Amino acid sequence: MARPAWDFSQPLTVDPPIWGTSFLERPEFFNLTALTLESRFWPWQEQAVPYPTSFHPHSLPFLESWIRRVRRSRRTSLMLFAGGGGTSSTPNIRRSIRLECTNTNVTETESEISSDFSSEQRKSKICDFVDCSNGICEHDPIRFMRPMLQSSFCLQPPGDTPTRKATFDGIIAGCIPVFFEDQTAKMQYRWHLPEEEFSEFSVTIPKEDVVFRGVRIADVLMSIPKEEVERLRERVIEMMPRVMYRRHGASMGLMNKKDAVDIAIDGVLQKIKSRV
């Protein structure tokens, strides 16, 4: 299902529904496994799968070439936020991120940044911001993919719903995800992003610490040793095939490497087997 489960969960008694449909509330569907971009937490039949990105490789050499590009990409920004929102006066994590980016969007010398910047870089940006308000990024992936390739960390705050397509865009770009609540990915994509491995490829900063306790995201990320940043990124790159969707008719070499669909099918079969 190509939208969050909430969009298919209107009560049957509301006719016509205020928004969405009642598809998942019909008794006929209670014994199905529904693969959605974002699941609710109580229905056992719902399972979240990765949002499709704009990256659909057709062959193993193409994928390997992209991975080489990701590895050698110069990460000139410490962190990036690609998204909208955060313009209201009400305290929330997106507002805090935009304020921090605005206030710290200055260049600093390499010696001041203990993260993952090469000796060739004399100055680097602390925070990069790509405004994707009003859907302007939906059909223009270069607008956010190029900055993702140039950033060490990609900030993934919740918005209208907890999950974000940008989580998977960032992984494809080798940009280490920074989460602010578990519902954004850890409690959603257990098949594709194993919960027990989360600390190996991501950073978590509780949103309450940022919004109400004055924790600066940049300070947390700059405190991570360079060797740890490199290890995190390498693990992100290893996770890449798990969240991508191969192009239809891909080469046999790439077909032998499991993608998001293969992992989803394995998960469904295992789920059925556990209930039989």
Side-chain angles (χ1 to χ4, degrees):
M1 307 184 77
R3 292 193 62 82
W6 294 100
D7 290 353
F8 304 98
S9 308
Q10 286 295 295
L12 292 170
T13 55
V14 180
D15 189 18
I18 301 171
W19 53 268
T21 72
S22 304
F23 190 79
L24 289 177
E25 295 301 310
R26 298 190 62 82
E28 296 89 341
F29 294 103
F30 285 175
N31 201 36
L32 295 181
T33 297
L35 303 180
T36 70
L37 300 181
E38 179 180 308
S39 65
R40 296 172 294 171
F41 302 120
W42 56 93
W44 69 268
Q45 70 268 39
E46 294 175 16
Q47 174 62 43
V49 295
Y51 284 78
T53 68
S54 299
F55 181 71
H56 306 288
H58 62 277
S59 68
L60 190 57
F62 183 88
L63 173 62
E64 292 173 341
S65 173
W66 174 259
I67 290 175
R68 286 194 296 271
R69 178 182 177 183
V70 168
R71 282 201 173 104
R72 67 172 181 262
S73 182
R74 295 178 70 239
R75 308 280 168 169
T76 54
S77 295
L78 174 67
M79 61 187 190
L80 165 76
F81 172 51
T87 57
S88 71
S89 58
T90 305
N92 63 75
I93 183 60
R94 290 195 176 212
R95 179 176 182 269
S96 296
I97 288 172
R98 292 187 70 149
L99 287 174
E100 181 170 338
C101 278
T102 300
N103 294 333
T104 62
N105 198 11
V106 294
T107 56
E108 294 195 6
T109 62
E110 176 194 346
S111 62
E112 293 174 301
I113 299 178
S114 61
S115 181
D116 132 73
F117 301 104
S118 69
S119 58
E120 299 175 357
Q121 297 169 335
R122 301 194 174 201
K123 295 190 176 182
S124 297
K125 188 182 292 185
I126 295 293
C127 183
D128 199 2
F129 171 60
V130 178
D131 190 353
C132 289
S133 301
N134 303 316
I136 61 174
C137 296
E138 287 183 3
H139 303 293
D140 186 9
I142 294 177
R143 182 186 290 266
F144 54 84
M145 285 300 292
R146 183 175 286 120
M148 284 180 172
L149 283 165
Q150 296 170 347
S151 300
S152 288
F153 297 92
C154 283
L155 309 183
Q156 307 297 351
D160 294 335
T161 66
T163 62
R164 303 192 73 220
K165 172 182 174 291
T167 295
F168 303 100
D169 292 320
I171 290 175
I172 294 298
C175 191
I176 301 163
V178 179
F179 298 113
F180 300 91
E181 62 177 41
D182 289 344
Q183 290 88 343
T184 301
K186 190 174 185 178
M187 296 177 65
Q188 292 279 347
Y189 307 103
R190 292 185 172 97
W191 293 349
H192 298 79
L193 304 175
E195 188 174 351
E196 64 276 6
E197 299 177 17
F198 246 69
S199 62
E200 298 176 13
F201 63 85
S202 67
V203 176
T204 299
I205 306 172
K207 61 184 179 183
E208 295 81 7
D209 289 354
V210 178
V211 177
F212 300 113
R213 301 187 183 100
V215 171
R216 291 182 72 254
I217 301 168
D219 290 344
V220 175
L221 300 181
M222 285 192 288
S223 69
I224 301 175
K226 177 180 178 180
E227 295 75 18
E228 176 68 6
V229 174
E230 292 173 348
R231 187 191 65 78
L232 287 166
R233 177 173 306 111
E234 192 58 34
R235 192 71 178 96
V236 168
I237 293 172
E238 291 173 8
M239 303 293 288
M240 193 185 299
R242 300 178 62 89
V243 303
M244 73 179 190
Y245 292 86
R246 287 187 302 258
R247 182 176 299 181
H248 179 67
S251 68
M252 188 57 64
L254 189 58
M255 292 284 283
N256 290 329
K257 188 179 288 288
K258 288 190 175 183
D259 72 346
V261 174
D262 295 319
I263 292 171
I265 292 174
D266 288 347
V268 170
L269 295 176
Q270 185 58 44
K271 194 169 189 175
I272 295 171
K273 190 179 298 184
S274 69
R275 293 181 63 85
V276 173

